[in-house]
Amino acid sequence: MRTEEEQLEAIKHWWNTQGKSWALIIAIGVGAGMAWRGYQDWQVGKLETASDAYQQVISQLNAGQSLDDLKEQTQAILTDYPNSLYADQILLLQAQAAVTQDDLATAQQRLQAVQASSQNPLIKEVAILRQARILAAQENTSGALQLLEGVKLEALQIERFAIQGDILLAQGDSQGAYTAYSKALEYPNAQNTHPWLSIKRDNLTPPVTESATPAA
Amino acid sequence: MLDFIRNHSQGWIAKVIVGLIVLTFSLWGVESIIGAFTQSRDTLAQVGDQEISRTQVDNLAQQELRRLLQTNPNIDPETLDQNLLRGMALNRLIMQGVLNYQAQVQDIRISRQAVEREIVRTPQFADAEGRFQQEIYKDVLARAGLTPTGFRAQLSEEILNEHLLGGVSLSAFVLPKERQALEALLDQKRTYRSVRLSLDEYAQDLTPTEEALRTYYQEHQEAYAMPERVQVAYLLLDPQQVAQSIQIDQAQIDAAYQAYVQQQPQQRQAAHILLNFTNEKEKQQAQADLLAWRDAVLAGEADFAQLAREHSQDPASARQGGDLGWILPDTLDPAFEQALFALQENSDISMPVETPFGLHLIQLLDQRAPEIKPLAEMRAQLIQDLQAQPLRERMASLSEDLRNLSFSKDSLQAVAEALQEQITLEVQTSAWISAGQAEDFWQQTQVQKVLFDPQMREDQLPSDVIKLDDERLLVIQHQAYQAQSIQDFAQVQDQVQQAWARTQAQSRLQTQAQTYLRQLQAGESLPASLSWSETQTISRFGAQTEQDLVTYIFKMPQPAQVSYGIYTDAEGNVLLLALDTVTDGEISTGDEAINAQNVLQQQAQRRWMQLQQNHYLQVTPVQRF
């Protein structure tokens, strides 16, 4: 057994030779951790500010104001948080407002902007589906059909085929429309999400390969 | 490796490792290391790294059940499938987990302030002037059984959902052209004619050979199945039988009748004049007014009813001259009643009485002696009341004995004998009982369960005590059993013949109808004996015709000139159909168009909610265990 004094001496010796560097390592570790946390908090704070700004817009829309009344706030979101989910949604809402005012060109332009800038694959394809419908309403059915080719997400295929059916029918291709509606109807819950789909299909004459009279 | 660390413990590697451990702790805390080794076995699903536990699922299922029972009090909780509720709860929790996961991925964070703002903005928490009130807020939460923390979490989750899914849904639009196309389709009108071919006409002159019937019987055996049947011995313990053994003597009945007579309330009809006051001065004024009126009425100088009409501040009774109608004891304010029941004669008036409503002057209008039924009429009821308590005790001990004996004895006879000292029970034998077609108490669910329990059948021992809906107790013991069986041909020959004839007629009719259809499609006309009905016009959602026929007609190919079809109704009769015209529905204009547009837009918004949820569910790592 060493005496107390010897132990103290050993500790002092250790501190002089090793301890300082150990303390430094621990301090760096703790410091790095706290800095990272601080950075994260700052990040979260920034995200919360974005969400606050969006929430203000949404509650005022819900309270009955129009998007036109909120130009300043929406523009701020588009500039301060570009390419964010919030910016995407503002653009989608602007497209809708343009459609309501019968300004299909502006609507088209907003939807193109979302399609180009969004980081969210779902929203990109939502923009495609909506553009296709606007093109079709402007009688550009072939352009619309071509756009629909870009819809790849599984969950959106039902919507894609439903729109394809509408466009083909507008083109006068009722057999193609029948086939497209039938494809859409194969998705589970189609009756739930698209209640008129089976009526649209049954109104058409099936392609010749199928029986000429409907089953009883 | 350890040697390596020890040897270099003063070198840089150890320092880096220690540095890393310190970093881990300061970043994620102790749980990050401990948590990695404790995976609970109670996990039902995992979304990302978020676990969904059995407890969470059970809690939500219980909540749902309570909500369901509150809104539909008629539902019997026994009949609800607990597993179905749990499955739905699990799906909801998974969906919420998916949305939380996606919110994280999409960098959506909701601040505390946003939640607070939402609370302050909620109209339910505001007072009449529309200002948020802490008191109202707390009150509303308490009534809904929520804690402020729980409510905030819920609200925060709702905002999160809205931020993730709201924009795409809210921004859905419907183009006028799309609306018009849909209106043209949904309000479409079709005109058609029909010829009815009745099944009966094709059912004549059908004489079957025995062989044909036997073949039909072989092919449709399941139609001639007899359900499984059981025959059981049983004991019935009837509380009424037990009640008969409880003796009640005349003295008890007399005492009970006396008590009944005293409890019958006297009723009094009263009128009052009410004056409110807000301070001592007003109170004194009211007191003085009332006293003055009292004196005037008693002196015959004024009319109580007239005064009530003019002055009483109880508007409902004032209109009736203060009349409150017949009053039973213990229904009004105690001070009021005390004063009222202290009045002796009709048209006596009390001194002013103070209650929380104000000061009253009360007049006794009429008294009604209690309605007392004679002993003879009350006797049965009194005996039943007197027996109730001892009967409960007797039944409790008897059912306990019955339960124990049914468990320990191996025949009902032995059970009955063991109980003989207490009560005489007779072992009875049931008739044959078919599954699902029983009569009397045999059809009660709890009885059926035991009757057709294979284990009970095999054991051939007395069953548990079954409580019937009318409180009688039943114990059964299986005696005989017949499995589901097919009835012999001879037993059901008549039924077979009828069914065979119907099938034959149907097939004749269908063949004939097909022939007519081919002829019509080839441009030929029908035989002279058949004639087309008047032209009829129908729309898709009109209620003029049976729905199946409407659906069929709207599925028929659109005619160039005319298109034909065959429709078979539920009774097997056939309609030959000729579809003449298809006309587009009218396109709405003005306000109607705006309404239609709104309805379709709401539909589109719901659709986009659904589609987004489907999408996020598909692209999020979800594991079910």
Side-chain angles (χ1 to χ4, degrees), chain B residues 262-303:
Chain B
Q262 272 162 24
Q263 274 166 19
Q264 291 319 295
Q266 194 202 34
Q267 294 182 17
R268 297 195 151 199
Q269 191 186 7
H272 80 147
I273 298 173
L274 172 68
L275 291 182
N276 307 130
F277 55 85
T278 51
N279 54 41
E280 194 56 32
K281 201 170 156 230
E282 283 181 31
K283 182 178 170 183
Q284 279 171 13
Q285 181 59 47
Q287 181 96 18
D289 285 347
L290 290 176
L291 279 173
W293 295 337
R294 179 174 190 269
D295 291 342
V297 174
L298 289 178
E301 293 158 7
D303 178 31

Side-chain angles (χ1 to χ4, degrees), chain B residues 278-351:
Chain B
T278 51
N279 54 41
E280 194 56 32
K281 201 170 156 230
E282 283 181 31
K283 182 178 170 183
Q284 279 171 13
Q285 181 59 47
Q287 181 96 18
D289 285 347
L290 290 176
L291 279 173
W293 295 337
R294 179 174 190 269
D295 291 342
V297 174
L298 289 178
E301 293 158 7
D303 178 31
F304 191 91
Q306 189 60 37
L307 286 171
R309 240 176 245 117
E310 280 167 19
H311 301 290
S312 178
Q313 285 167 324
D314 171 16
S317 71
R319 256 173 272 133
Q320 316 293 326
D323 192 348
L324 291 167
W326 288 99
I327 293 162
L328 281 169
D330 298 328
T331 52
L332 296 179
D333 183 86
F336 187 99
E337 277 186 12
Q338 205 183 352
L340 171 60
F341 283 90
L343 297 174
Q344 295 296 325
E345 301 291 328
N346 289 352
S347 66
D348 274 2
I349 300 177
S350 73
M351 297 300 280

Side-chain angles (χ1 to χ4, degrees), chain B residues 529-588:
Chain B
S529 59
L530 299 175
S531 58
W532 289 102
S533 70
E534 295 284 299
T535 298
Q536 278 171 295
T537 306
I538 53 168
S539 58
R540 225 178 270 279
F541 303 111
Q544 332 87 326
T545 325
E546 54 178 289
Q547 192 53 48
D548 285 350
L549 177 58
V550 175
T551 310
Y552 181 88
I553 292 172
F554 275 94
K555 274 188 178 183
M556 285 171 71
Q558 303 212 12
Q561 291 288 313
V562 52
S563 81
Y564 296 103
I566 300 176
Y567 171 76
T568 311
D569 72 13
E571 282 84 49
N573 304 306
V574 163
L575 286 181
L576 292 173
L577 293 166
L579 176 62
D580 292 319
T581 62
V582 172
T583 322
D584 277 351
E586 253 179 74
I587 309 298
S588 56

Side-chain angles (χ1 to χ4, degrees), chain A residues 63-127:
Chain A
Q65 288 197 292
S66 83
L67 213 53
D68 272 347
D69 305 332
L70 305 167
K71 265 192 186 129
E72 226 168 276
Q73 285 116 302
T74 51
Q75 194 50 49
I77 292 177
L78 291 178
T79 1
D80 295 349
Y81 316 101
N83 309 341
S84 70
L85 188 63
Y86 300 122
D88 293 350
Q89 302 192 54
I90 294 290
L91 286 171
L92 286 179
L93 287 166
Q94 287 180 342
Q96 180 203 38
V99 167
T100 315
Q101 288 155 14
D102 214 13
D103 180 0
L104 296 189
T106 304
Q108 188 75 3
Q109 182 262 324
R110 293 288 189 274
L111 291 171
Q112 264 165 4
V114 187
Q115 191 196 336
S117 68
S118 177
Q119 312 286 312
N120 181 323
L122 175 71
I123 292 197
K124 269 182 188 293
E125 297 200 353
V126 167

Side-chain angles (χ1 to χ4, degrees), chain B residues 76-271:
Chain B
D76 175 9
E78 292 279 311
T79 61
L80 285 171
D81 187 346
Q82 298 289 329
N83 282 330
L84 189 74
L85 279 176
R86 269 192 220 109
M88 278 160 51
L90 177 60
N91 283 343
R92 265 188 54 188
L93 286 170
I94 288 181
M95 198 62 231
Q96 192 51 55
V98 164
L99 297 180
N100 288 343
Y101 177 92
Q102 286 296 335
Q104 194 82 20
V105 172
Q106 316 269 345
D107 277 341
I108 299 176
R109 303 285 188 285
I110 307 301
S111 67
R112 267 187 78 87
Q113 294 90 309
V115 176
E116 298 295 337
R117 255 203 310 280
E118 239 4 77
I119 291 177
V120 172
R121 227 192 300 250
T122 306
Q124 280 84 348
F125 304 146
D127 59 15
E129 276 101 59
R131 277 190 309 254
F132 173 77
Q133 292 292 344
Q134 190 73 19
E135 293 304 309
I136 302 180
Y137 167 64
K138 281 188 181 154
D139 207 45
V140 171
L141 286 201
R143 257 182 289 138
L146 289 167
T147 63
T149 325
F151 179 68
R152 274 208 194 87
Q154 223 175 332
L155 200 58
S156 165
E157 211 149 70
E158 268 169 37
I159 301 178
L160 201 73
N161 289 351
E162 189 173 26
H163 282 202
L164 180 64
L165 309 175
V168 169
S169 166
L170 198 62
S171 64
F173 55 78
V174 176
L175 294 155
K177 269 194 185 169
E178 294 172 329
R179 185 201 87 229
Q180 290 162 6
L182 197 57
E183 282 180 336
L185 175 65
L186 294 182
D187 295 340
Q188 191 183 75
K189 305 265 186 301
R190 295 192 168 200
T191 60
Y192 74 99
R193 291 162 292 135
S194 61
V195 177
R196 187 168 187 274
L197 305 176
S198 147
L199 181 63
D200 288 346
E201 288 168 30
Y202 291 80
Q204 284 153 17
D205 315 324
L206 282 168
T207 21
T209 60
E210 169 145 354
E211 200 195 336
L213 291 185
R214 280 195 182 275
T215 314
Y216 185 88
Y217 167 79
Q218 292 296 337
E219 284 166 0
H220 299 87
Q221 286 213 328
E222 74 289 352
Y224 305 106
M226 281 266 287
E228 58 177 341
R229 305 195 298 170
V230 288
Q231 194 170 30
V232 296
Y234 66 99
L235 286 177
L236 258 184
L237 175 55
D238 189 343
Q240 294 196 2
Q241 186 194 346
V242 178
Q244 281 166 12
S245 67
I246 298 171
Q247 296 301 325
I248 303 293
D249 59 36
Q250 189 58 42
Q252 281 173 290
I253 296 176
D254 288 342
Y257 184 70
Q258 282 313 314
Y260 156 78
V261 168
Q262 272 162 24
Q263 274 166 19
Q264 291 319 295
Q266 194 202 34
Q267 294 182 17
R268 297 195 151 199
Q269 191 186 7

